[in-house]
Amino acid sequence: MLYRIAPDVVWMADDGEVRLYDAGSGEFQTLNSTGAELWLLVSEGQPVNAIASQMAQRYAAEDTGAAAVVVRDVREFLDSLAGQGLLLADDVAPPRTAGPSA
C-alpha cells in the first residue's frame, strides 16, 4: 500500500523536523526526527512495506524481535496520520508495462 500526502496539508522539513499545517482542520503539528523521516519517505512515494523495512534495518538490524516492533510501530504511525486525514491511502497499483507480444 502507498500513502500520499493529503492535498490540504502544507508541510515543511526543517532542522530534522517536519512541520505540518492541515488547511482543512486549521491544525498545526510538528513531527520529531523519526516522524519526519517517515513523512519524507512517504513524500518520495515509497510504499509502506519498503518504509517499514528501511526503518527496521536502520534501527533494529541485529534484533529480529525489535525489528518486528519497528515495523509494527511504523505501520501504526502511518495509519494514525491517515486517520487524522494527513495521509491518504493510494491503493491503486502502478500501471503495468506491456510485455513482448507472442
Side-chain angles (χ1 to χ4, degrees):
M1 171 186 350
L2 286 173
Y3 279 119
R4 60 186 163 84
I5 298 168
D8 285 350
V9 176
V10 178
W11 63 278
M12 177 176 116
D14 186 39
D15 291 331
E17 297 178 333
V18 168
R19 293 178 186 95
L20 309 171
Y21 172 68
D22 182 355
S25 69
E27 293 185 19
F28 288 93
Q29 192 171 147
T30 300
L31 303 179
N32 66 17
S33 61
T34 306
E37 199 172 350
L38 294 170
W39 185 269
L40 293 172
L41 291 170
V42 168
S43 76
E44 293 171 359
Q46 298 273 343
V48 173
N49 288 341
I51 293 170
S53 293
Q54 276 185 332
M55 297 301 277
Q57 181 66 31
R58 186 170 301 144
Y59 294 105
E62 302 299 319
D63 183 345
T64 56
V69 171
V70 169
V71 167
R72 182 199 67 212
D73 289 351
V74 166
R75 292 176 186 279
E76 286 178 1
F77 179 73
L78 295 177
D79 290 345
S80 170
L81 293 176
Q84 295 173 53
L86 300 170
L87 298 178
L88 302 174
D90 194 356
D91 293 325
V92 178
R96 297 177 80 169
T97 57
S101 27

